[in-house]
Protein backbone atom coordinates (compact mmCIF):
# COMPACT_ATOMS: atom_id res chain seq x y z
CA UNK A 1 0.00 0.00 0.00
CA UNK A 2 1.24 3.48 -0.83
CA UNK A 3 0.86 5.70 2.28
CA UNK A 4 1.36 8.90 0.35
CA UNK A 5 -1.00 10.88 -1.79
CA UNK A 6 -0.68 10.26 -5.52
CA UNK A 7 -2.27 11.78 -8.60
CA UNK A 8 -4.04 9.65 -11.18
CA UNK A 9 -4.73 11.10 -14.63
CA UNK A 10 -7.35 9.30 -16.70
CA UNK A 11 -8.11 10.48 -20.22
CA UNK A 12 -9.62 9.69 -23.58
CA UNK A 13 -9.02 11.08 -27.05
CA UNK A 14 -11.51 13.57 -28.46
CA UNK A 15 -13.17 12.55 -31.72
CA UNK A 16 -11.12 9.39 -32.12
CA UNK A 17 -13.89 7.58 -34.04
CA UNK A 18 -13.42 10.05 -36.89
CA UNK A 19 -9.79 9.04 -37.38
CA UNK A 20 -8.15 5.90 -38.82
CA UNK A 21 -6.93 3.32 -36.33
CA UNK A 22 -3.34 4.17 -37.27
CA UNK A 23 -3.86 7.81 -36.30
CA UNK A 24 -5.35 6.86 -32.93
CA UNK A 25 -2.47 4.44 -32.30
CA UNK A 26 0.01 7.20 -33.13
CA UNK A 27 -1.70 9.59 -30.71
CA UNK A 28 -1.64 6.98 -27.96
CA UNK A 29 2.04 6.39 -28.59
CA UNK A 30 2.59 10.14 -28.18
CA UNK A 31 0.87 10.03 -24.80
CA UNK A 32 2.97 7.01 -23.83
CA UNK A 33 6.11 8.98 -24.70
CA UNK A 34 4.84 12.01 -22.77
CA UNK A 35 4.16 9.79 -19.75
CA UNK A 36 7.74 8.51 -19.84
CA UNK A 37 9.01 12.09 -19.83
CA UNK A 38 6.72 13.08 -16.97
CA UNK A 39 7.95 10.11 -14.96
CA UNK A 40 11.45 11.52 -15.28
CA UNK A 41 10.38 14.85 -13.79
CA UNK A 42 9.88 13.26 -10.38
CA UNK A 43 12.42 12.90 -7.58
CA UNK A 44 13.51 10.17 -7.78
CA UNK A 45 12.40 9.41 -11.36
CA UNK A 46 9.72 6.73 -11.57
CA UNK A 47 7.58 5.00 -14.16
CA UNK A 48 4.25 6.79 -14.71
CA UNK A 49 2.91 3.37 -15.83
CA UNK A 50 1.04 4.48 -18.95
CA UNK A 51 -1.89 2.12 -19.50
CA UNK A 52 -4.23 2.11 -22.49
CA UNK A 53 -7.93 1.34 -22.02
CA UNK A 54 -10.84 0.75 -24.43
CA UNK A 55 -9.04 1.79 -27.57
CA UNK A 56 -8.79 5.54 -26.97
CA UNK A 57 -8.62 5.66 -23.16
CA UNK A 58 -5.46 5.98 -21.10
CA UNK A 59 -4.20 6.39 -17.55
CA UNK A 60 -0.99 7.35 -15.75
CA UNK A 61 -0.06 8.07 -12.15
CA UNK A 62 2.32 10.48 -10.43
CA UNK A 63 3.93 9.97 -7.06
CA UNK A 64 4.28 13.76 -6.79
CA UNK A 65 0.69 15.05 -7.15
CA UNK A 66 1.69 18.70 -7.41
CA UNK A 67 3.13 17.95 -10.86
CA UNK A 68 -0.21 16.67 -12.15
CA UNK A 69 -1.46 19.91 -13.73
CA UNK A 70 1.88 20.49 -15.44
CA UNK A 71 1.78 16.89 -16.68
CA UNK A 72 -1.73 17.42 -18.09
CA UNK A 73 -0.55 20.52 -19.96
CA UNK A 74 2.44 18.60 -21.27
CA UNK A 75 0.29 15.76 -22.61
CA UNK A 76 -1.97 18.28 -24.32
CA UNK A 77 1.02 20.09 -25.86
CA UNK A 78 2.52 16.83 -27.08
CA UNK A 79 -0.70 15.84 -28.82
CA UNK A 80 -1.29 19.32 -30.22
CA UNK A 81 2.16 19.37 -31.79
CA UNK A 82 1.57 16.08 -33.59
CA UNK A 83 0.77 15.64 -37.26
CA UNK A 84 -2.99 15.36 -36.71
CA UNK A 85 -3.32 17.81 -33.80
CA UNK A 86 -5.49 15.48 -31.72
CA UNK A 87 -6.75 16.45 -28.27
CA UNK A 88 -7.69 14.61 -25.11
CA UNK A 89 -10.08 15.03 -22.23
CA UNK A 90 -8.53 14.20 -18.89
CA UNK A 91 -9.45 13.86 -15.25
CA UNK A 92 -6.93 14.39 -12.44
CA UNK A 93 -7.68 12.93 -9.02
CA UNK A 94 -5.41 13.33 -6.01
CA UNK A 95 -5.76 10.73 -3.28
CA UNK A 96 -4.46 7.47 -1.91
CA UNK A 97 -3.77 4.20 -3.68
CA UNK A 98 -4.30 0.75 -2.24
CA UNK A 99 -1.98 -0.72 -4.87
CA UNK A 100 -0.47 0.34 -8.18
CA UNK A 101 -1.35 -2.82 -10.02
CA UNK A 102 0.82 -5.67 -11.18
CA UNK A 103 2.10 -5.22 -14.74
CA UNK A 104 0.32 -1.89 -15.35
CA UNK A 105 -2.52 0.19 -13.88
CA UNK A 106 -5.30 -2.02 -15.24
CA UNK A 107 -5.61 -3.76 -11.87
CA UNK A 108 -4.59 -0.84 -9.66
CA UNK A 109 -6.97 0.11 -6.87
CA UNK A 110 -7.73 2.87 -4.41
CA UNK A 111 -9.68 6.11 -4.02
CA UNK A 112 -7.49 8.09 -6.45
CA UNK A 113 -8.08 5.60 -9.27
CA UNK A 114 -11.79 5.34 -8.59
CA UNK A 115 -12.32 9.10 -8.46
CA UNK A 116 -10.25 9.83 -11.56
CA UNK A 117 -12.28 7.42 -13.70
CA UNK A 118 -15.57 8.47 -12.18
CA UNK A 119 -14.92 12.18 -12.79
CA UNK A 120 -13.98 11.53 -16.41
CA UNK A 121 -17.25 9.69 -16.95
CA UNK A 122 -19.16 12.63 -15.43
CA UNK A 123 -17.46 15.30 -17.53
CA UNK A 124 -19.58 17.04 -20.19
CA UNK A 125 -18.49 16.20 -23.72
CA UNK A 126 -17.39 19.80 -24.24
CA UNK A 127 -15.20 19.85 -21.10
CA UNK A 128 -11.52 19.06 -21.36
CA UNK A 129 -10.21 18.80 -17.79
CA UNK A 130 -11.38 17.91 -14.31
CA UNK A 131 -9.43 18.24 -11.06
CA UNK A 132 -10.64 16.67 -7.82
CA UNK A 133 -9.52 14.93 -4.65
CA UNK A 134 -7.41 15.63 -1.59
CA UNK A 135 -6.68 19.33 -0.93
CA UNK A 136 -8.43 20.32 -4.19
CA UNK A 137 -10.79 23.29 -3.89
CA UNK A 138 -13.22 24.98 -6.26
CA UNK A 139 -10.48 27.54 -6.87
CA UNK A 140 -8.11 24.81 -8.07
CA UNK A 141 -10.74 23.51 -10.48
CA UNK A 142 -11.20 26.98 -11.95
CA UNK A 143 -7.44 27.47 -12.30
CA UNK A 144 -7.09 24.12 -14.04
CA UNK A 145 -9.85 24.90 -16.53
CA UNK A 146 -8.48 28.35 -17.29
CA UNK A 147 -4.93 27.14 -17.84
CA UNK A 148 -5.92 24.09 -19.87
CA UNK A 149 -8.18 26.16 -22.12
CA UNK A 150 -5.07 27.87 -23.44
CA UNK A 151 -3.88 24.61 -25.01
CA UNK A 152 -6.80 24.59 -27.46
CA UNK A 153 -5.48 27.80 -29.03
CA UNK A 154 -1.87 26.70 -29.55
CA UNK A 155 -0.63 26.20 -33.09
CA UNK A 156 1.36 22.99 -33.64
CA UNK A 157 4.57 25.05 -33.58
CA UNK A 158 3.59 26.79 -30.35
CA UNK A 159 2.63 23.46 -28.79
CA UNK A 160 5.98 21.95 -29.76
CA UNK A 161 7.84 24.78 -28.03
CA UNK A 162 5.51 24.73 -25.02
CA UNK A 163 6.02 21.00 -24.50
CA UNK A 164 9.74 21.64 -24.03
CA UNK A 165 9.22 24.84 -22.05
CA UNK A 166 7.00 23.06 -19.50
CA UNK A 167 9.91 21.01 -18.15
CA UNK A 168 10.23 21.71 -14.38
CA UNK A 169 13.93 22.55 -14.84
CA UNK A 170 12.88 25.76 -16.64
CA UNK A 171 15.05 25.45 -19.80
CA UNK A 172 16.43 28.65 -21.30
CA UNK A 173 15.58 30.06 -24.71
CA UNK A 174 19.01 29.06 -26.02
CA UNK A 175 18.54 25.49 -24.84
CA UNK A 176 15.10 25.30 -26.45
CA UNK A 177 16.46 26.83 -29.66
CA UNK A 178 19.12 24.14 -29.84
CA UNK A 179 16.56 21.38 -29.29
CA UNK A 180 14.16 22.79 -31.89
CA UNK A 181 16.82 23.73 -34.40
CA UNK A 182 15.61 27.33 -34.70
CA UNK A 183 16.82 30.71 -33.45
CA UNK A 184 16.18 31.94 -29.89
CA UNK A 185 14.15 34.77 -31.42
CA UNK A 186 11.92 32.25 -33.20
CA UNK A 187 11.49 30.30 -29.95
CA UNK A 188 10.57 33.47 -28.11
CA UNK A 189 7.97 34.27 -30.77
CA UNK A 190 6.36 30.84 -30.41
CA UNK A 191 6.36 30.98 -26.62
CA UNK A 192 4.97 34.50 -26.56
CA UNK A 193 2.02 33.42 -28.68
CA UNK A 194 1.45 30.48 -26.33
CA UNK A 195 1.35 32.62 -23.17
CA UNK A 196 4.37 30.76 -21.85
CA UNK A 197 5.74 33.15 -19.25
CA UNK A 198 2.45 33.64 -17.43
CA UNK A 199 1.64 29.94 -17.66
CA UNK A 200 4.97 28.89 -16.17
CA UNK A 201 4.64 31.37 -13.30
CA UNK A 202 1.10 30.26 -12.54
CA UNK A 203 2.04 26.59 -12.60
CA UNK A 204 4.95 27.15 -10.24
CA UNK A 205 2.76 29.09 -7.81
CA UNK A 206 0.03 26.45 -7.92
CA UNK A 207 2.53 23.64 -7.35
CA UNK A 208 4.01 25.38 -4.31
CA UNK A 209 0.58 25.86 -2.74
CA UNK A 210 -0.47 22.28 -3.52
CA UNK A 211 2.74 20.86 -2.04
CA UNK A 212 2.13 22.87 1.13
CA UNK A 213 -1.50 21.80 1.39
CA UNK A 214 -0.71 18.14 0.76
CA UNK A 215 2.06 18.21 3.38
CA UNK A 216 -0.53 18.97 6.04
CA UNK A 217 -2.59 15.97 4.90
CA UNK A 218 0.29 13.50 4.97
CA UNK A 219 1.12 14.03 8.61
Amino acid sequence: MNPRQIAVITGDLVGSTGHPVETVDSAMQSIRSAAATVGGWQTPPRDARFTRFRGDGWQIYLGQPALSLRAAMFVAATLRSGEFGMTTRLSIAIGRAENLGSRDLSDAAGPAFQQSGRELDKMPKTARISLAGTAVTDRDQIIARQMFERTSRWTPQQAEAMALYLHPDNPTLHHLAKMLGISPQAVNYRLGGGGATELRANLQSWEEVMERDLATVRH
Side-chain angles (χ1 to χ4, degrees), residues 66-67 69-70 139-140 143 147 168 170 196-214:
L67 289 173
L69 187 50
R70 186 184 295 264
R139 177 195 59 213
D140 296 308
I143 290 171
M147 282 201 278
N170 297 333
T197 302
E198 181 180 13
L199 181 59
R200 176 187 275 179
N202 289 342
L203 275 172
Q204 290 175 336
S205 296
W206 184 82
E207 288 165 356
E208 290 169 4
V209 173
M210 182 55 66
E211 282 282 7
R212 183 194 66 202
D213 291 348
L214 285 171

PDB file of all heavy atoms in Angstrom, residues 66-67 69-70 139-140 143 147 168 170 196-214:
ATOM      1  N   ALA A  66       1.629  17.292  -7.029  1.00  0.00           N
ATOM      2  CA  ALA A  66       1.689  18.704  -7.411  1.00  0.00           C
ATOM      3  C   ALA A  66       2.115  18.889  -8.865  1.00  0.00           C
ATOM      4  O   ALA A  66       1.881  19.946  -9.454  1.00  0.00           O
ATOM      5  CB  ALA A  66       2.640  19.466  -6.486  1.00  0.00           C
ATOM      6  N   LEU A  67       2.714  17.872  -9.458  1.00  0.00           N
ATOM      7  CA  LEU A  67       3.130  17.947 -10.859  1.00  0.00           C
ATOM      8  C   LEU A  67       2.001  17.578 -11.824  1.00  0.00           C
ATOM      9  O   LEU A  67       2.184  17.635 -13.043  1.00  0.00           O
ATOM     10  CB  LEU A  67       4.316  17.010 -11.113  1.00  0.00           C
ATOM     11  CG  LEU A  67       5.662  17.419 -10.508  1.00  0.00           C
ATOM     12  CD1 LEU A  67       6.680  16.304 -10.707  1.00  0.00           C
ATOM     13  CD2 LEU A  67       6.165  18.719 -11.121  1.00  0.00           C
ATOM     14  N   LEU A  69      -0.920  18.924 -12.789  1.00  0.00           N
ATOM     15  CA  LEU A  69      -1.462  19.905 -13.729  1.00  0.00           C
ATOM     16  C   LEU A  69      -0.441  20.209 -14.826  1.00  0.00           C
ATOM     17  O   LEU A  69      -0.793  20.321 -16.003  1.00  0.00           O
ATOM     18  CB  LEU A  69      -1.850  21.180 -12.990  1.00  0.00           C
ATOM     19  CG  LEU A  69      -2.595  22.244 -13.796  1.00  0.00           C
ATOM     20  CD1 LEU A  69      -3.786  21.652 -14.548  1.00  0.00           C
ATOM     21  CD2 LEU A  69      -3.054  23.377 -12.884  1.00  0.00           C
ATOM     22  N   ARG A  70       0.816  20.299 -14.455  1.00  0.00           N
ATOM     23  CA  ARG A  70       1.883  20.494 -15.444  1.00  0.00           C
ATOM     24  C   ARG A  70       1.918  19.292 -16.399  1.00  0.00           C
ATOM     25  O   ARG A  70       2.091  19.454 -17.613  1.00  0.00           O
ATOM     26  CB  ARG A  70       3.231  20.654 -14.742  1.00  0.00           C
ATOM     27  CG  ARG A  70       4.393  21.005 -15.678  1.00  0.00           C
ATOM     28  CD  ARG A  70       5.709  21.052 -14.908  1.00  0.00           C
ATOM     29  NE  ARG A  70       5.744  22.107 -13.923  1.00  0.00           N
ATOM     30  CZ  ARG A  70       6.272  23.310 -14.124  1.00  0.00           C
ATOM     31  NH1 ARG A  70       6.819  23.604 -15.296  1.00  0.00           N
ATOM     32  NH2 ARG A  70       6.271  24.218 -13.163  1.00  0.00           N
ATOM     33  N   ARG A 139     -11.449  26.634  -6.257  1.00  0.00           N
ATOM     34  CA  ARG A 139     -10.475  27.537  -6.871  1.00  0.00           C
ATOM     35  C   ARG A 139      -9.506  26.773  -7.754  1.00  0.00           C
ATOM     36  O   ARG A 139      -9.182  27.210  -8.865  1.00  0.00           O
ATOM     37  CB  ARG A 139      -9.711  28.283  -5.775  1.00  0.00           C
ATOM     38  CG  ARG A 139      -8.605  29.212  -6.268  1.00  0.00           C
ATOM     39  CD  ARG A 139      -7.701  29.596  -5.125  1.00  0.00           C
ATOM     40  NE  ARG A 139      -7.098  28.422  -4.527  1.00  0.00           N
ATOM     41  CZ  ARG A 139      -6.805  28.312  -3.223  1.00  0.00           C
ATOM     42  NH1 ARG A 139      -7.095  29.284  -2.388  1.00  0.00           N
ATOM     43  NH2 ARG A 139      -6.241  27.208  -2.763  1.00  0.00           N
ATOM     44  N   ASP A 140      -9.041  25.622  -7.281  1.00  0.00           N
ATOM     45  CA  ASP A 140      -8.113  24.811  -8.072  1.00  0.00           C
ATOM     46  C   ASP A 140      -8.768  24.337  -9.359  1.00  0.00           C
ATOM     47  O   ASP A 140      -8.124  24.288 -10.413  1.00  0.00           O
ATOM     48  CB  ASP A 140      -7.646  23.603  -7.259  1.00  0.00           C
ATOM     49  CG  ASP A 140      -6.851  23.990  -6.034  1.00  0.00           C
ATOM     50  OD1 ASP A 140      -5.887  24.766  -6.171  1.00  0.00           O
ATOM     51  OD2 ASP A 140      -7.202  23.532  -4.935  1.00  0.00           O
ATOM     52  N   ILE A 143      -8.797  27.239 -11.785  1.00  0.00           N
ATOM     53  CA  ILE A 143      -7.444  27.470 -12.295  1.00  0.00           C
ATOM     54  C   ILE A 143      -7.097  26.440 -13.362  1.00  0.00           C
ATOM     55  O   ILE A 143      -6.553  26.776 -14.420  1.00  0.00           O
ATOM     56  CB  ILE A 143      -6.428  27.421 -11.139  1.00  0.00           C
ATOM     57  CG1 ILE A 143      -6.588  28.642 -10.227  1.00  0.00           C
ATOM     58  CG2 ILE A 143      -4.990  27.344 -11.675  1.00  0.00           C
ATOM     59  CD1 ILE A 143      -5.790  28.570  -8.953  1.00  0.00           C
ATOM     60  N   MET A 147      -6.242  27.404 -17.266  1.00  0.00           N
ATOM     61  CA  MET A 147      -4.926  27.144 -17.841  1.00  0.00           C
ATOM     62  C   MET A 147      -5.018  26.155 -19.004  1.00  0.00           C
ATOM     63  O   MET A 147      -4.381  26.329 -20.040  1.00  0.00           O
ATOM     64  CB  MET A 147      -3.963  26.636 -16.762  1.00  0.00           C
ATOM     65  CG  MET A 147      -3.425  27.746 -15.876  1.00  0.00           C
ATOM     66  SD  MET A 147      -1.885  27.295 -15.039  1.00  0.00           S
ATOM     67  CE  MET A 147      -2.518  26.370 -13.661  1.00  0.00           C
ATOM     68  N   PRO A 168      10.046  21.055 -15.686  1.00  0.00           N
ATOM     69  CA  PRO A 168      10.232  21.715 -14.385  1.00  0.00           C
ATOM     70  C   PRO A 168      11.609  22.358 -14.189  1.00  0.00           C
ATOM     71  O   PRO A 168      11.760  23.214 -13.309  1.00  0.00           O
ATOM     72  CB  PRO A 168      10.024  20.566 -13.380  1.00  0.00           C
ATOM     73  CG  PRO A 168       9.190  19.579 -14.106  1.00  0.00           C
ATOM     74  CD  PRO A 168       9.635  19.647 -15.538  1.00  0.00           C
ATOM     75  N   ASN A 170      12.929  24.423 -16.054  1.00  0.00           N
ATOM     76  CA  ASN A 170      12.884  25.759 -16.644  1.00  0.00           C
ATOM     77  C   ASN A 170      14.007  26.001 -17.658  1.00  0.00           C
ATOM     78  O   ASN A 170      14.890  26.836 -17.458  1.00  0.00           O
ATOM     79  CB  ASN A 170      12.943  26.829 -15.542  1.00  0.00           C
ATOM     80  CG  ASN A 170      11.761  26.779 -14.606  1.00  0.00           C
ATOM     81  OD1 ASN A 170      10.686  26.344 -14.999  1.00  0.00           O
ATOM     82  ND2 ASN A 170      11.948  27.205 -13.382  1.00  0.00           N
ATOM     83  N   ALA A 196       3.485  31.615 -22.628  1.00  0.00           N
ATOM     84  CA  ALA A 196       4.370  30.756 -21.853  1.00  0.00           C
ATOM     85  C   ALA A 196       4.795  31.333 -20.507  1.00  0.00           C
ATOM     86  O   ALA A 196       4.769  30.637 -19.492  1.00  0.00           O
ATOM     87  CB  ALA A 196       5.614  30.433 -22.689  1.00  0.00           C
ATOM     88  N   THR A 197       5.204  32.576 -20.486  1.00  0.00           N
ATOM     89  CA  THR A 197       5.737  33.155 -19.250  1.00  0.00           C
ATOM     90  C   THR A 197       4.711  33.150 -18.130  1.00  0.00           C
ATOM     91  O   THR A 197       4.992  32.726 -16.999  1.00  0.00           O
ATOM     92  CB  THR A 197       6.229  34.592 -19.503  1.00  0.00           C
ATOM     93  OG1 THR A 197       7.229  34.586 -20.523  1.00  0.00           O
ATOM     94  CG2 THR A 197       6.818  35.191 -18.230  1.00  0.00           C
ATOM     95  N   GLU A 198       3.512  33.615 -18.432  1.00  0.00           N
ATOM     96  CA  GLU A 198       2.448  33.639 -17.427  1.00  0.00           C
ATOM     97  C   GLU A 198       2.068  32.223 -17.011  1.00  0.00           C
ATOM     98  O   GLU A 198       1.850  31.952 -15.820  1.00  0.00           O
ATOM     99  CB  GLU A 198       1.229  34.365 -17.979  1.00  0.00           C
ATOM    100  CG  GLU A 198       0.077  34.469 -16.981  1.00  0.00           C
ATOM    101  CD  GLU A 198      -1.127  35.189 -17.557  1.00  0.00           C
ATOM    102  OE1 GLU A 198      -1.183  35.397 -18.791  1.00  0.00           O
ATOM    103  OE2 GLU A 198      -2.034  35.531 -16.771  1.00  0.00           O
ATOM    104  N   LEU A 199       2.011  31.311 -17.963  1.00  0.00           N
ATOM    105  CA  LEU A 199       1.636  29.939 -17.657  1.00  0.00           C
ATOM    106  C   LEU A 199       2.649  29.280 -16.732  1.00  0.00           C
ATOM    107  O   LEU A 199       2.281  28.629 -15.757  1.00  0.00           O
ATOM    108  CB  LEU A 199       1.518  29.133 -18.953  1.00  0.00           C
ATOM    109  CG  LEU A 199       1.099  27.675 -18.808  1.00  0.00           C
ATOM    110  CD1 LEU A 199      -0.257  27.576 -18.131  1.00  0.00           C
ATOM    111  CD2 LEU A 199       1.069  26.987 -20.165  1.00  0.00           C
ATOM    112  N   ARG A 200       3.944  29.480 -17.018  1.00  0.00           N
ATOM    113  CA  ARG A 200       4.973  28.886 -16.166  1.00  0.00           C
ATOM    114  C   ARG A 200       4.896  29.448 -14.748  1.00  0.00           C
ATOM    115  O   ARG A 200       4.970  28.686 -13.767  1.00  0.00           O
ATOM    116  CB  ARG A 200       6.362  29.144 -16.751  1.00  0.00           C
ATOM    117  CG  ARG A 200       7.487  28.647 -15.860  1.00  0.00           C
ATOM    118  CD  ARG A 200       8.854  29.082 -16.386  1.00  0.00           C
ATOM    119  NE  ARG A 200       9.344  28.149 -17.395  1.00  0.00           N
ATOM    120  CZ  ARG A 200      10.521  28.322 -18.025  1.00  0.00           C
ATOM    121  NH1 ARG A 200      11.265  29.386 -17.766  1.00  0.00           N
ATOM    122  NH2 ARG A 200      10.924  27.438 -18.910  1.00  0.00           N
ATOM    123  N   ALA A 201       4.725  30.752 -14.624  1.00  0.00           N
ATOM    124  CA  ALA A 201       4.644  31.368 -13.304  1.00  0.00           C
ATOM    125  C   ALA A 201       3.434  30.854 -12.529  1.00  0.00           C
ATOM    126  O   ALA A 201       3.524  30.554 -11.327  1.00  0.00           O
ATOM    127  CB  ALA A 201       4.582  32.890 -13.445  1.00  0.00           C
ATOM    128  N   ASN A 202       2.304  30.736 -13.202  1.00  0.00           N
ATOM    129  CA  ASN A 202       1.095  30.258 -12.539  1.00  0.00           C
ATOM    130  C   ASN A 202       1.223  28.798 -12.113  1.00  0.00           C
ATOM    131  O   ASN A 202       0.766  28.409 -11.031  1.00  0.00           O
ATOM    132  CB  ASN A 202      -0.113  30.432 -13.457  1.00  0.00           C
ATOM    133  CG  ASN A 202      -0.519  31.884 -13.633  1.00  0.00           C
ATOM    134  OD1 ASN A 202      -0.140  32.740 -12.835  1.00  0.00           O
ATOM    135  ND2 ASN A 202      -1.277  32.173 -14.678  1.00  0.00           N
ATOM    136  N   LEU A 203       1.829  27.993 -12.961  1.00  0.00           N
ATOM    137  CA  LEU A 203       2.043  26.588 -12.601  1.00  0.00           C
ATOM    138  C   LEU A 203       2.951  26.460 -11.383  1.00  0.00           C
ATOM    139  O   LEU A 203       2.672  25.681 -10.470  1.00  0.00           O
ATOM    140  CB  LEU A 203       2.661  25.831 -13.782  1.00  0.00           C
ATOM    141  CG  LEU A 203       1.711  25.287 -14.842  1.00  0.00           C
ATOM    142  CD1 LEU A 203       2.500  24.745 -16.032  1.00  0.00           C
ATOM    143  CD2 LEU A 203       0.806  24.201 -14.279  1.00  0.00           C
ATOM    144  N   GLN A 204       4.023  27.219 -11.369  1.00  0.00           N
ATOM    145  CA  GLN A 204       4.946  27.149 -10.236  1.00  0.00           C
ATOM    146  C   GLN A 204       4.269  27.569  -8.943  1.00  0.00           C
ATOM    147  O   GLN A 204       4.447  26.930  -7.890  1.00  0.00           O
ATOM    148  CB  GLN A 204       6.173  28.011 -10.513  1.00  0.00           C
ATOM    149  CG  GLN A 204       7.083  27.443 -11.591  1.00  0.00           C
ATOM    150  CD  GLN A 204       8.240  28.371 -11.945  1.00  0.00           C
ATOM    151  OE1 GLN A 204       8.167  29.589 -11.741  1.00  0.00           O
ATOM    152  NE2 GLN A 204       9.304  27.814 -12.485  1.00  0.00           N
ATOM    153  N   SER A 205       3.470  28.626  -9.002  1.00  0.00           N
ATOM    154  CA  SER A 205       2.755  29.088  -7.806  1.00  0.00           C
ATOM    155  C   SER A 205       1.754  28.041  -7.336  1.00  0.00           C
ATOM    156  O   SER A 205       1.648  27.758  -6.132  1.00  0.00           O
ATOM    157  CB  SER A 205       2.037  30.407  -8.098  1.00  0.00           C
ATOM    158  OG  SER A 205       2.963  31.435  -8.390  1.00  0.00           O
ATOM    159  N   TRP A 206       1.013  27.460  -8.283  1.00  0.00           N
ATOM    160  CA  TRP A 206       0.026  26.451  -7.919  1.00  0.00           C
ATOM    161  C   TRP A 206       0.695  25.235  -7.297  1.00  0.00           C
ATOM    162  O   TRP A 206       0.205  24.675  -6.305  1.00  0.00           O
ATOM    163  CB  TRP A 206      -0.785  26.035  -9.148  1.00  0.00           C
ATOM    164  CG  TRP A 206      -1.887  25.077  -8.820  1.00  0.00           C
ATOM    165  CD1 TRP A 206      -3.120  25.375  -8.337  1.00  0.00           C
ATOM    166  CD2 TRP A 206      -1.829  23.637  -8.922  1.00  0.00           C
ATOM    167  NE1 TRP A 206      -3.847  24.217  -8.142  1.00  0.00           N
ATOM    168  CE2 TRP A 206      -3.084  23.148  -8.488  1.00  0.00           C
ATOM    169  CE3 TRP A 206      -0.850  22.745  -9.346  1.00  0.00           C
ATOM    170  CZ2 TRP A 206      -3.373  21.782  -8.461  1.00  0.00           C
ATOM    171  CZ3 TRP A 206      -1.145  21.380  -9.319  1.00  0.00           C
ATOM    172  CH2 TRP A 206      -2.391  20.910  -8.876  1.00  0.00           C
ATOM    173  N   GLU A 207       1.816  24.811  -7.860  1.00  0.00           N
ATOM    174  CA  GLU A 207       2.531  23.640  -7.346  1.00  0.00           C
ATOM    175  C   GLU A 207       3.032  23.878  -5.923  1.00  0.00           C
ATOM    176  O   GLU A 207       2.977  22.974  -5.074  1.00  0.00           O
ATOM    177  CB  GLU A 207       3.677  23.288  -8.288  1.00  0.00           C
ATOM    178  CG  GLU A 207       3.204  22.694  -9.603  1.00  0.00           C
ATOM    179  CD  GLU A 207       4.264  22.663 -10.683  1.00  0.00           C
ATOM    180  OE1 GLU A 207       5.386  23.174 -10.452  1.00  0.00           O
ATOM    181  OE2 GLU A 207       3.976  22.144 -11.778  1.00  0.00           O
ATOM    182  N   GLU A 208       3.525  25.067  -5.657  1.00  0.00           N
ATOM    183  CA  GLU A 208       4.011  25.381  -4.312  1.00  0.00           C
ATOM    184  C   GLU A 208       2.880  25.323  -3.291  1.00  0.00           C
ATOM    185  O   GLU A 208       3.040  24.768  -2.193  1.00  0.00           O
ATOM    186  CB  GLU A 208       4.668  26.759  -4.302  1.00  0.00           C
ATOM    187  CG  GLU A 208       5.987  26.816  -5.061  1.00  0.00           C
ATOM    188  CD  GLU A 208       6.487  28.240  -5.267  1.00  0.00           C
ATOM    189  OE1 GLU A 208       5.824  29.179  -4.742  1.00  0.00           O
ATOM    190  OE2 GLU A 208       7.526  28.413  -5.924  1.00  0.00           O
ATOM    191  N   VAL A 209       1.736  25.876  -3.649  1.00  0.00           N
ATOM    192  CA  VAL A 209       0.584  25.856  -2.744  1.00  0.00           C
ATOM    193  C   VAL A 209       0.083  24.430  -2.551  1.00  0.00           C
ATOM    194  O   VAL A 209      -0.226  24.012  -1.418  1.00  0.00           O
ATOM    195  CB  VAL A 209      -0.546  26.755  -3.287  1.00  0.00           C
ATOM    196  CG1 VAL A 209      -1.814  26.596  -2.440  1.00  0.00           C
ATOM    197  CG2 VAL A 209      -0.102  28.213  -3.295  1.00  0.00           C
ATOM    198  N   MET A 210       0.006  23.651  -3.636  1.00  0.00           N
ATOM    199  CA  MET A 210      -0.473  22.283  -3.522  1.00  0.00           C
ATOM    200  C   MET A 210       0.469  21.426  -2.676  1.00  0.00           C
ATOM    201  O   MET A 210       0.016  20.614  -1.857  1.00  0.00           O
ATOM    202  CB  MET A 210      -0.649  21.674  -4.919  1.00  0.00           C
ATOM    203  CG  MET A 210      -1.203  20.252  -4.928  1.00  0.00           C
ATOM    204  SD  MET A 210      -2.776  20.039  -4.045  1.00  0.00           S
ATOM    205  CE  MET A 210      -3.893  21.009  -5.066  1.00  0.00           C
ATOM    206  N   GLU A 211       1.777  21.596  -2.861  1.00  0.00           N
ATOM    207  CA  GLU A 211       2.741  20.864  -2.042  1.00  0.00           C
ATOM    208  C   GLU A 211       2.543  21.185  -0.574  1.00  0.00           C
ATOM    209  O   GLU A 211       2.565  20.293   0.274  1.00  0.00           O
ATOM    210  CB  GLU A 211       4.170  21.227  -2.468  1.00  0.00           C
ATOM    211  CG  GLU A 211       4.649  20.534  -3.732  1.00  0.00           C
ATOM    212  CD  GLU A 211       5.070  19.106  -3.493  1.00  0.00           C
ATOM    213  OE1 GLU A 211       4.867  18.580  -2.366  1.00  0.00           O
ATOM    214  OE2 GLU A 211       5.590  18.492  -4.426  1.00  0.00           O
ATOM    215  N   ARG A 212       2.342  22.450  -0.265  1.00  0.00           N
ATOM    216  CA  ARG A 212       2.131  22.865   1.132  1.00  0.00           C
ATOM    217  C   ARG A 212       0.855  22.264   1.696  1.00  0.00           C
ATOM    218  O   ARG A 212       0.837  21.753   2.811  1.00  0.00           O
ATOM    219  CB  ARG A 212       2.071  24.395   1.183  1.00  0.00           C
ATOM    220  CG  ARG A 212       1.933  24.968   2.604  1.00  0.00           C
ATOM    221  CD  ARG A 212       1.535  26.424   2.528  1.00  0.00           C
ATOM    222  NE  ARG A 212       0.191  26.571   1.959  1.00  0.00           N
ATOM    223  CZ  ARG A 212      -0.240  27.686   1.388  1.00  0.00           C
ATOM    224  NH1 ARG A 212       0.551  28.729   1.254  1.00  0.00           N
ATOM    225  NH2 ARG A 212      -1.475  27.743   0.912  1.00  0.00           N
ATOM    226  N   ASP A 213      -0.225  22.321   0.903  1.00  0.00           N
ATOM    227  CA  ASP A 213      -1.503  21.798   1.389  1.00  0.00           C
ATOM    228  C   ASP A 213      -1.452  20.288   1.576  1.00  0.00           C
ATOM    229  O   ASP A 213      -2.016  19.747   2.535  1.00  0.00           O
ATOM    230  CB  ASP A 213      -2.621  22.173   0.410  1.00  0.00           C
ATOM    231  CG  ASP A 213      -2.915  23.658   0.392  1.00  0.00           C
ATOM    232  OD1 ASP A 213      -2.419  24.374   1.293  1.00  0.00           O
ATOM    233  OD2 ASP A 213      -3.641  24.114  -0.521  1.00  0.00           O
ATOM    234  N   LEU A 214      -0.804  19.598   0.642  1.00  0.00           N
ATOM    235  CA  LEU A 214      -0.712  18.135   0.756  1.00  0.00           C
ATOM    236  C   LEU A 214       0.176  17.728   1.924  1.00  0.00           C
ATOM    237  O   LEU A 214      -0.046  16.672   2.534  1.00  0.00           O
ATOM    238  CB  LEU A 214      -0.181  17.536  -0.542  1.00  0.00           C
ATOM    239  CG  LEU A 214      -1.176  17.499  -1.705  1.00  0.00           C
ATOM    240  CD1 LEU A 214      -0.466  17.085  -2.998  1.00  0.00           C
ATOM    241  CD2 LEU A 214      -2.321  16.557  -1.397  1.00  0.00           C
TER     242      LEU A 214
END
